[in-house]
Amino acid sequence: MNFSNTGRNVTTLVVRDTLQTAIIKNVITVVLCISINYINSTLVHTFTKHQVFNMNPRYILYIHLVINDIILLTLFTLVQVLSYIVFTLNVSLCIVLLLMAMCASINNPLTLAVMAVECYVAICFPLRHSRICTVKKTYAVIGVIWMLSSLSVFPDLFVSLATESMEFFHSRVFCLPTNIFRHPYLKEKRDIVNQVFLVSVWIILFYTYFRILATAKAAATSAKKARNTVLLHGFQLLLCMLTYVYNLTLDGLILLFPKGVLAIRFAVSIFIHVLPRLISPVVYGLRDKTFRKYLKNDLFCSTCADTKQHKRQKTNPL
């Protein structure tokens, strides 16, 4: 696999996996992607099927988090598989894929912050919760989240349009942000935006956690559960932060094991970009009693219906 920029007039050494290794890596990635996205899609199906979830701001925010995970995992897998098949992508296509992935990546910590605030309102202001956290306001907040992520990402596109030649957008490169958004200003801008968002989200999580912790001392079961939920938000945020130390981790491991550069790139990418996508369904979809009950009913009813239909087809083949 080569991470050089073919849009520039430079010659670099191309290091690629053997055919067998490439097949194994892509099979692992695709199987993980299909498995995780199947679980997440089942959660989305359960959410859309039952009114009890559609009218609850907490579940709306949760499904927004799941949808972001589906987008991120799908785009990561798509780019990786294409990098092995065609190696380089058209710059314009790569820009579209990267902008979607960057927006979804920023959406995750922002959504976690809003979910923590919702828990805080539910525990500390229970009588005002239904007035503050309405379905309409929840969708409005999700719109604001997408607006903030878009405003932080699209300047990269505008700067590139202003500074790059038209030939560059018709050329082919290995699809990485550093190969597409090449202006030095953009890297500094991304670092500042990421730091501002992450610091803001951490402040919100710490504030809501300690306020809920004070309420939980009254031995309220719901308050203790909300405290644990905010802790899980913090754990997910730590996983989100792994994306920002991806290059640092990669460079450090390659420096220690220079001969294993391809294996290191693959392992770090799976650990940082794929496995964290398992956290949302496990933490919320299976931990929440209400969601778990409806999910089991949907899965078992679907299985029973398929079994009955199969038996009917056997008894009445015509």
Side-chain angles (χ1 to χ4, degrees):
M1 192 188 303
N2 178 19
F3 285 78
S4 63
N5 185 353
T6 58
R8 295 175 179 174
N9 295 323
V10 295
T11 302
T12 55
L13 178 64
V14 176
V15 182
R16 305 194 69 174
D17 285 312
T18 62
L19 178 60
Q20 182 180 2
T21 304
I23 292 174
I24 292 173
K25 286 183 177 180
N26 280 286
V27 167
I28 291 173
T29 304
V30 171
V31 169
L32 284 173
C33 173
I34 293 175
S35 302
I36 297 173
N37 276 353
Y38 173 76
I39 296 171
N40 284 337
S41 299
T42 304
L43 296 173
V44 175
H45 171 71
T46 300
F47 170 82
T48 56
K49 188 176 178 181
H50 300 285
Q51 188 78 8
V52 64
F53 301 125
N54 298 329
M55 303 306 295
N56 191 317
R58 184 170 302 170
Y59 293 115
I60 294 173
L61 291 169
Y62 163 61
I63 287 300
H64 180 246
L65 195 68
V66 170
I67 292 173
N68 271 283
D69 284 344
I70 293 174
I71 294 173
L72 283 170
L73 187 55
T74 301
L75 291 175
F76 169 78
T77 305
L78 178 62
V79 170
Q80 175 173 306
V81 171
L82 288 176
S83 72
Y84 278 97
I85 296 174
V86 297
F87 186 56
T88 58
L89 296 180
N90 177 270
V91 170
S92 299
L93 173 61
C94 183
I95 287 176
V96 173
L97 297 177
L98 288 179
L99 289 178
M100 292 173 60
M102 291 163 70
C103 281
S105 179
I106 293 174
N107 285 346
N108 270 8
L110 296 180
T111 304
L112 289 171
V114 177
M115 292 175 74
V117 171
E118 189 276 334
C119 284
Y120 161 71
V121 174
I123 298 303
C124 298
F125 304 98
L127 299 179
R128 299 169 59 186
H129 178 263
S130 59
R131 224 164 13 119
I132 297 174
C133 301
T134 64
V135 172
K136 185 176 180 180
K137 289 180 181 178
T138 303
Y139 282 114
V141 169
I142 291 175
V144 171
I145 289 173
W146 277 95
M147 183 185 69
L148 289 174
S149 63
S150 299
L151 289 176
S152 65
V153 166
F154 276 91
D156 294 17
L157 173 61
F158 300 144
V159 171
S160 296
L161 289 172
T163 57
E164 300 287 356
S165 63
M166 288 304 299
E167 289 78 11
F168 172 72
F169 294 98
H170 294 290
S171 64
R172 300 176 68 88
V173 299
F174 193 88
C175 193
L176 286 175
T178 53
N179 290 345
I180 300 295
F181 308 117
R182 304 185 295 184
H183 196 284
Y185 154 79
L186 295 178
K187 184 180 184 304
E188 296 179 7
K189 190 273 298 179
R190 281 194 296 271
D191 291 340
I192 293 173
V193 169
N194 290 337
Q195 290 170 13
V196 169
F197 280 146
L198 287 174
V199 169
S200 301
V201 172
W202 275 117
I203 290 174
I204 292 172
L205 285 178
F206 277 120
Y207 177 79
T208 54
Y209 174 76
F210 285 111
R211 289 300 302 268
I212 292 173
L213 182 64
T215 305
K217 290 180 179 179
T221 304
S222 58
K224 290 182 178 179
K225 184 178 179 181
R227 180 196 62 189
N228 294 334
T229 300
V230 175
L231 277 177
L232 291 172
H233 291 333
F235 176 66
Q236 278 191 285
L237 185 58
L238 284 174
L239 294 178
C240 291
M241 290 177 65
L242 291 177
T243 304
Y244 306 124
V245 297
Y246 173 78
N247 291 327
L248 183 63
T249 305
L250 206 58
D251 293 341
L253 290 175
I254 291 174
L255 186 64
L256 292 174
F257 309 100
K259 292 184 179 180
V261 55
L262 297 178
I264 289 172
R265 286 188 188 278
F266 176 75
V268 172
S269 296
I270 292 294
F271 182 76
I272 289 180
H273 295 299
V274 176
L275 294 182
R277 308 280 83 83
L278 273 171
I279 300 299
S280 293
V282 171
V283 168
Y284 301 104
L286 302 180
R287 179 171 170 264
D288 185 90
K289 292 182 180 179
T290 305
F291 212 105
R292 186 169 65 244
K293 181 183 73 173
Y294 281 96
L295 184 62
K296 285 182 179 178
N297 289 338
D298 289 343
L299 290 176
F300 290 146
C301 287
S302 298
T303 304
C304 292
D306 292 340
T307 304
K308 289 179 181 179
Q309 184 178 2
H310 183 66
K311 288 181 178 179
R312 282 197 297 267
Q313 289 175 350
K314 278 188 172 182
T315 56
N316 187 18
L318 300 178

